Amino acid sequence: MKLFLRWMYPLILGVVMFNTIRLVTDLPNHNPFWAESKSLHVIALLVSVLVSYGFDFKGRYYMEKVRAKSFSVTLEYTLLVVYLFLSVNLILYAGDSIGILYMGDKLADYVIANVVCILYFFLYYILIRNDKLEKEYNQQTLQLEKIKVDQLEIELKFLRAQYHPHFLFNALNTVYFQIDEKNPIPRHTLELLSELLRYQLYGGNQQVSVRREIDYLKTYMDFQRLRMSKRLVLEVHIDDKLKDQEIYPLLFLPLIENAFKYVGGEYKINLNMSLEDEKIIFCIENSKPLNPPEKPARKGIGLENLQRRLVLLYPDKYSLEIQDKPFCFIARLTIETDNV
């Protein structure tokens, strides 16, 4: 039904516009309605309808593709009136010249046609414009509703994600107190794991100092050293100016995790964090294993999640470079901060 009416509106506009011109022209002069040649009137009516369809197409195309949102309403309507004035008079002149439009009383007929056509086209454009703006408003309303729903889903997912480490944290405490104090190794392992979970549980939604983030990374590396090799060497170099700088937490952990994948040989991980040109530069590199496996492990979701977090937290203010060397991980993360 809407599509049918969409194509009927220009027809109605053309018919009403033509008959309005005839009424304004014939009634004051007490002439019969459609007094002259009926064929000439039918041709003029068809011209009016075709021009209406052309204006409908032009107006809708302009609203969809061309209209600049920076235009003021006053300027938009002024340009419309100028366009209508030029177009209407060009059509009237061309139609009169080739004989399909009869402009008997030249000046009076031109004035009447201009007033009627420009007025009707102007009102019709307002209807098109309002219809377009209403659709845009409805789309924006739907998008806002979708965003609200998505935010609720994200909040629920976050609460569920927060529950899991909280449950595990409590479970680890239970296991911890069941281990005899004379057996310090497993108790120390649980202590390190509890520290890691505590940081993720309570420090994930707000910014933390670089000092606290590095302490967390050291704890993570101590935990990894328990399962890998006590020969593992961690070299950390941090610019003193950055220790109290606040950043979002857990940005460097995916890079650390990837550095652990194939660390070997000298069993060394180098971590450097410096301040250069008001940018935080985080670099990490591991040592290549002496006997690397035949195929490197595939990259997990950690780096993909890191990319998404960086886009959300530091839009246009970060760069991440990862060198693809066989069994050797080298990464450089640069973050611009407003308060360095």
Side-chain angles (χ1 to χ4, degrees):
M1 186 63 180
K2 289 184 178 180
L3 183 61
F4 174 75
L5 292 176
R6 156 74 176 82
W7 289 106
M8 286 296 296
Y9 289 149
L11 174 63
I12 297 172
L13 173 64
V15 172
V16 171
M17 186 166 57
F18 171 77
N19 285 285
T20 301
I21 294 175
R22 293 264 42 93
L23 286 171
V24 174
T25 303
D26 295 339
L27 291 183
N29 297 324
H30 303 287
N31 293 328
F33 193 56
W34 283 34
E36 292 86 6
S37 169
K38 294 294 188 292
S39 61
L40 190 63
H41 283 301
V42 171
I43 293 174
L45 175 61
L46 291 176
V47 171
S48 177
V49 171
L50 290 175
V51 171
S52 297
Y53 274 102
F55 179 77
D56 177 85
F57 174 80
K58 186 74 173 179
R60 293 181 186 277
Y61 178 83
Y62 174 80
M63 290 296 299
E64 291 286 346
K65 306 293 184 181
V66 182
R67 180 174 64 94
K69 294 184 178 180
S70 58
F71 274 15
S72 66
V73 177
T74 302
L75 178 59
E76 183 179 351
Y77 286 159
T78 300
L79 294 175
L80 173 64
V81 171
V82 173
Y83 168 78
L84 289 174
F85 177 79
L86 295 175
S87 300
V88 168
N89 282 282
L90 179 62
I91 293 171
L92 292 176
Y93 178 78
D96 187 37
S97 299
I98 62 178
I100 61 174
L101 297 178
Y102 178 68
M103 309 297 292
D105 191 352
K106 297 291 184 181
L107 181 59
D109 286 349
Y110 269 95
V111 170
I112 292 172
N114 270 268
V115 171
V116 173
C117 291
I118 292 176
L119 175 62
Y120 274 108
F121 281 137
F122 187 85
L123 294 175
Y124 190 77
Y125 178 81
I126 292 177
L127 293 177
I128 295 176
R129 187 178 189 276
N130 289 342
D131 181 63
K132 173 64 176 175
L133 294 178
E134 183 180 2
K135 289 180 179 178
E136 290 179 351
Y137 174 78
N138 291 335
Q139 289 177 353
Q140 291 177 354
T141 302
L142 291 175
Q143 288 177 352
L144 289 175
E145 291 297 327
K146 184 178 183 301
I147 291 174
K148 290 180 180 179
V149 172
D150 290 342
Q151 286 178 338
L152 289 175
E153 290 181 355
I154 292 173
E155 185 176 356
L156 289 173
K157 289 180 180 179
F158 172 76
L159 291 174
R160 286 196 296 268
Q162 193 179 36
Y163 169 78
H164 294 305
H166 186 79
F167 172 79
L168 183 57
F169 180 76
N170 290 334
L172 288 175
N173 279 337
T174 301
V175 175
Y176 178 83
F177 288 109
Q178 290 178 343
I179 298 176
D180 194 289
E181 294 181 0
K182 297 179 180 180
N183 195 354
I185 296 179
R187 289 176 69 96
H188 178 61
T189 301
L190 290 178
E191 288 173 356
L192 292 176
L193 184 55
S194 297
E195 286 296 321
L196 296 175
L197 290 174
R198 183 181 291 111
Y199 186 79
Q200 294 187 24
L201 182 61
Y202 299 110
N205 287 328
Q206 55 190 354
Q207 290 188 328
V208 298
S209 65
V210 170
R211 186 195 309 273
R212 187 179 177 190
E213 180 75 359
I214 294 300
D215 288 341
Y216 168 76
L217 295 179
K218 288 180 178 179
T219 301
Y220 175 81
M221 292 178 180
D222 289 339
F223 183 77
Q224 291 290 349
R225 188 182 289 113
L226 292 175
R227 74 175 184 86
M228 296 184 65
S229 173
K230 293 184 178 179
R231 295 187 294 112
L232 180 64
V233 177
L234 172 64
E235 294 186 357
V236 180
H237 303 281
I238 305 174
D239 193 327
D240 290 336
K241 300 176 184 177
L242 287 175
K243 291 185 177 180
D244 295 324
Q245 169 66 37
E246 290 193 342
I247 57 173
Y248 286 97
L250 305 174
L251 293 177
F252 309 121
L253 181 61
L255 302 178
I256 297 289
E257 289 175 337
N258 277 271
F260 268 106
K261 281 185 178 179
Y262 287 109
V263 63
E266 298 178 351
Y267 273 88
K268 180 184 294 185
I269 292 181
N270 293 317
L271 187 155
N272 292 277
M273 183 177 280
S274 60
L275 176 64
E276 300 177 12
D277 299 327
E278 298 185 348
K279 297 178 181 179
I280 296 177
I281 311 296
F282 179 88
C283 298
I284 188 166
E285 179 178 1
N286 65 356
S287 57
K288 185 176 180 180
L290 296 176
N291 298 309
E294 294 181 3
K295 294 182 179 180
R298 297 178 61 184
K299 294 180 180 179
I301 63 173
L303 293 180
E304 295 179 2
N305 288 340
L306 173 61
Q307 287 278 14
R308 289 197 291 268
R309 288 194 68 206
L310 289 170
V311 170
L312 294 173
L313 298 176
Y314 298 99
D316 301 323
K317 291 186 177 182
Y318 82 95
S319 66
L320 177 59
E321 302 173 8
I322 298 177
Q323 297 186 25
D324 188 12
K325 293 186 177 182
F327 316 110
C328 183
F329 184 81
I330 302 176
R332 176 185 174 94
L333 173 59
T334 302
I335 298 175
E336 297 181 23
T337 56
D338 298 328
N339 57 340
V340 173

